[in-house]
Each structure stands twice: as C-alpha cells, then as structure tokens.
Amino acid sequence: MNSLFTNILSLRHIEYLIINQHWKIIELSSKVNILADNSHQVQVGKDIRLGFPELIGIEVIASDIITGKQNNFELKGVARTKKSLKPIYIDICIANNIKNNRYSDELLIVIEDVTEKMVLEQSLVQGANEANLLLRTLTASKQYIDQIVTSMADALLVTTLSGKIKTINRTAQVLLEYDEVEISGQSISNVLKEVDTWKEEIEQRGNVQTPLFGPITPLVKEVETVCHTKTGKTIPVAFSCSKVQTEIEHFQGYVYILRDMTERKQAELAKQEFLAMISHEIRTPVAAVIGMGDILLNTDLSKQQEEFVETICNSGKALLEIINDILDFSKIESGKLEFEEEPFHLNSCIEEALSLL
C-alpha cells in the first residue's frame, strides 16, 4: 500500500488488511493482529475470517463491493483475547481496493480501535441514566412534599432570612385571602403581628442534631397573636416558627405554621358564658339554702337540731366554694387567676370536714 496512506492510518491508530476475492490476506499493517480475535491467524495467505469472525456471513456483500454494486460496508466487532479480560471494540470498514481508478478483485479492510470511545460512551450513558434516576427521585420527592404541604390543615408560610415571603400553601391562601403571587415578596410582619419579637429567641435556641435531617432549629410553639387578611379582617392565630439552615443561601430562611384560633376562641367564650350562667343559676338556690339555714339557727332549737342546721349551712357554703373553684379554672385557662392570702383556722376546717362526712 502507498506509504503515505500507511503513515496517515498509523497516526490515527488505524490498521488495515488487503484480501483477495477468496478472503485470503494479501497485505496487512504491522499491528493489525492486536485487534484480531485470533491474532496468530492473521498472516499473509490465511483466511481473514479466522482472525476476524465478524466477517463471516457477509460474502454476498463483499461480492457486491468487488463488482461495484456497493461502495462500502461497515460493521462493528469485539476482540476478546485470552491474555486480557477487557474486550477491544473495533469498527470495520470494507471497500474495494481501487487501482488506477478501476475496481479490482481485492478488498481493502480498515480496522479502527474504538475501545476508548465505547468506554466513554458507556460512561456517559451510565452517567445520564444515573442523572435521570436522580432527577426522577428528586421530582418524586418534590411531589411527595408538595402533596403533604398542600394537604396540611394548618397554614404554612416560608420566608427568606430577611422575612420576605417566598411561598405559602393552600390553607394559608384561604386564611389570608391572598394568592401566592400576590403575597410573594411581602414582609411576614405585614400579615403576622409580633412575629419579629420571637426571632431572637429562635436564634438563642441554636440547633438540635437529628439522625435523619441533620441540624435543625426547634420550633417556637403556640405563640398566640393575630394576623391581618387581604380584606382587613383580624384573625386570632397561634403560630410555630423554625429556622431553615442549608449550605445554599437561597434555601435558608424561616418556616411559619399558623393555626386559626377563631373557633377555639369562640368555644372559650361560649364556655365562659356557660359557666357564668350556670354558676349564677346555682348560686340562687344555694344562697336560699344558706340564708334559710342562718335564719333557722336564730330560732329555738335543740342541741342536736342546731348541729344539723350548722351542717346544712356549712355544706351550702362548701358548695358555693366549689362553684367559685369552677370559675377559677376558667380564669386559669384565660390567664386571669389572681391568688389571695387570707387567714384561716385549721381546727375549724377539720371539724367542718368531719361533720360533713
């Protein structure tokens, strides 16, 4: 073969063979046997199919190339030597060995080692598959979290570190009467009062190391305040807050969970009204019992009768104290209970309890 052509092929790490129409090797490059499946069979005069079994079965195609019916033919092959477990991937191109611009009865077979290319392609395909798997996992994870956030009965607001609202869930949209686009970028203090006073406490709490999520900031729980809606309504709420800390600044900020306290406040008010009413209704007959007992004590009674009447009066007064205690429980829940210090006689308390029983 032309020495210039041979040098060009050598520079490109491409080997070649020239065979006759009977598949016998006429000429070959110096390193072509390295790419063969049976290297010792790649010699002048030998059937090329012994060294490159990929060529078996293309005899008709080879005949068409010799006669000029087909220009060339390409196929891929793999050489697996006994010395190395790693396969050698090759590209084989077959064309007529044209001489003096005329078709000859010889075939030129060019063989290129494409192992590095194949390994790179396999690595890229594997990387793409892993990336797709990761993307699907992240997408599924986002959908999972979005569904949880959407289905929350409490309102959820996420802000930046500076307090600008980034996103809210559906419950928050209903509560605050804002669409997510409308409220995005607003300060959290515009809708939630006294919120800034709790940020210092959040910073002081520091982080808690968790095995699943790493360092997290504990929630500030059930801080009662009010929020203002788009239409100007004032709604009592209890909110919890936590600081989100990640390595990426864009994903840092605060998470607020708001619970509408309207029904709870209405229930508390109804409870207080009921207790006030029922205590008034009970006080009236109890007061009559105590009053009649006191009047009865001022009449002529035997010693035994006087003891009985005193027991009735003491029981009535004890019942009145129980009613006052019930009202005290209501004051405890509303945070309005006040303690009073009064003197008492211990012996009298014990005697009254014993006579009652």
Side-chain angles (χ1 to χ4, degrees):
M1 178 176 280
N2 186 299
S3 59
L4 176 60
F5 184 67
T6 303
N7 290 335
I8 293 174
L9 292 179
S10 177
L11 289 173
R12 298 296 300 170
H13 303 287
I14 297 174
E15 306 299 328
Y16 75 92
L17 300 102
I18 298 175
I19 63 172
N20 59 24
Q21 58 185 340
H22 302 296
W23 296 88
K24 302 297 182 181
I25 299 174
I26 302 174
E27 184 180 338
L28 72 166
S29 59
S30 58
K31 297 181 180 179
V32 69
N33 61 324
I34 298 175
L35 306 179
D37 204 35
N38 297 304
S39 58
H40 62 280
Q41 296 289 347
V42 182
Q43 300 177 23
V44 175
K46 291 276 189 177
D47 191 322
I48 191 175
R49 291 170 294 189
L50 298 175
F52 296 92
E54 293 85 359
L55 300 174
I56 297 173
I58 64 167
E59 288 78 8
V60 176
I61 296 174
S63 178
D64 289 342
I65 293 174
I66 290 175
T67 58
K69 294 180 181 179
Q70 183 171 334
N71 291 330
N72 55 64
F73 181 73
E74 295 182 3
L75 71 157
K76 297 183 180 294
V78 181
R80 294 180 174 85
T81 62
K82 295 181 180 179
K83 295 181 180 180
S84 175
L85 297 176
K86 296 182 180 179
I88 300 175
Y89 297 93
I90 55 175
D91 282 351
I92 303 174
C93 182
I94 306 171
N96 191 285
N97 187 29
I98 297 175
K99 297 179 179 179
N100 300 321
N101 295 325
R102 292 183 179 181
Y103 285 97
S104 67
D105 58 356
E106 296 176 355
L107 292 175
L108 171 63
I109 301 177
V110 178
I111 302 174
E112 180 181 3
D113 184 351
V114 293
T115 303
E116 291 185 5
K117 179 181 176 182
M118 288 294 295
V119 171
L120 179 60
E121 287 180 355
Q122 290 173 358
S123 177
L124 291 174
V125 170
Q126 182 179 356
N129 290 337
E130 291 175 354
N132 288 332
L133 178 60
L134 178 60
L135 179 60
R136 289 197 298 269
T137 303
L138 291 175
T139 302
S141 176
K142 183 180 183 302
Q143 292 174 347
Y144 176 71
I145 294 173
D146 288 345
Q147 290 176 6
I148 293 176
V149 170
T150 303
S151 63
M152 285 178 61
D154 294 332
L156 182 140
L157 296 88
V158 181
T159 72
T160 61
L161 290 174
S162 61
K164 301 295 182 181
I165 297 174
K166 293 175 62 178
T167 183
I168 61 176
N169 68 348
R170 180 58 185 166
T171 306
Q173 294 178 36
V174 174
L175 176 66
L176 301 175
E177 301 176 338
Y178 280 100
D179 291 333
E180 188 171 4
V181 176
E182 292 178 322
I183 202 171
S184 180
Q186 291 192 35
S187 174
I188 185 69
S189 59
N190 291 345
V191 294
L192 191 62
K193 297 306 176 184
E194 301 179 11
V195 65
D196 292 331
T197 59
W198 294 96
K199 285 188 177 180
E200 184 177 352
E201 180 178 338
I202 296 171
E203 297 293 343
Q204 292 175 352
R205 285 173 176 244
N207 296 328
V208 175
Q209 188 70 28
T210 62
L212 186 59
F213 300 105
I216 62 172
T217 303
L219 286 173
V220 175
K221 296 182 179 179
E222 297 298 325
V223 179
E224 292 194 10
T225 181
V226 295
C227 68
H228 298 294
T229 68
K230 180 180 177 181
T231 58
K233 296 178 184 177
T234 300
I235 300 176
V237 295
F239 78 90
S240 302
C241 177
S242 180
K243 187 176 182 181
V244 179
Q245 302 183 73
T246 66
E247 295 180 357
I248 303 175
E249 185 177 355
H250 178 72
F251 296 107
Q252 296 178 2
Y254 295 91
V255 176
Y256 297 89
I257 300 175
L258 277 63
R259 179 168 298 170
D260 188 351
M261 303 292 286
T262 303
E263 292 185 1
R264 179 174 168 181
K265 292 296 182 181
Q266 290 174 347
E268 289 179 355
L269 180 61
K271 179 181 175 181
Q272 291 173 4
E273 291 176 351
F274 171 77
L275 290 174
M277 181 193 68
I278 200 68
S279 63
H280 175 74
E281 295 297 329
I282 295 175
R283 280 172 186 269
T284 301
V286 171
V289 171
I290 296 173
M292 290 298 106
D294 288 337
I295 293 173
L296 190 59
L297 282 174
N298 294 322
T299 62
D300 293 331
L301 299 172
S302 65
K303 185 65 176 177
Q304 188 179 27
Q305 288 174 334
E306 186 177 342
E307 289 178 359
F308 289 162
V309 174
E310 287 180 352
T311 301
I312 292 173
C313 292
N314 291 336
S315 297
K317 292 175 182 177
L319 181 59
L320 193 59
E321 289 179 0
I322 291 173
I323 296 171
N324 291 333
D325 289 341
I326 293 174
L327 294 176
D328 286 341
F329 281 118
S330 177
K331 292 180 180 179
I332 290 172
E333 291 181 353
S334 61
K336 298 179 180 179
L337 180 67
E338 295 181 359
F339 290 97
E340 295 180 358
E341 185 177 346
E342 294 183 356
F344 71 98
H345 196 273
L346 180 61
N347 290 341
S348 298
C349 289
I350 296 174
E351 288 175 1
E352 290 173 2
L354 291 175
S355 62
L356 176 64
L357 297 174

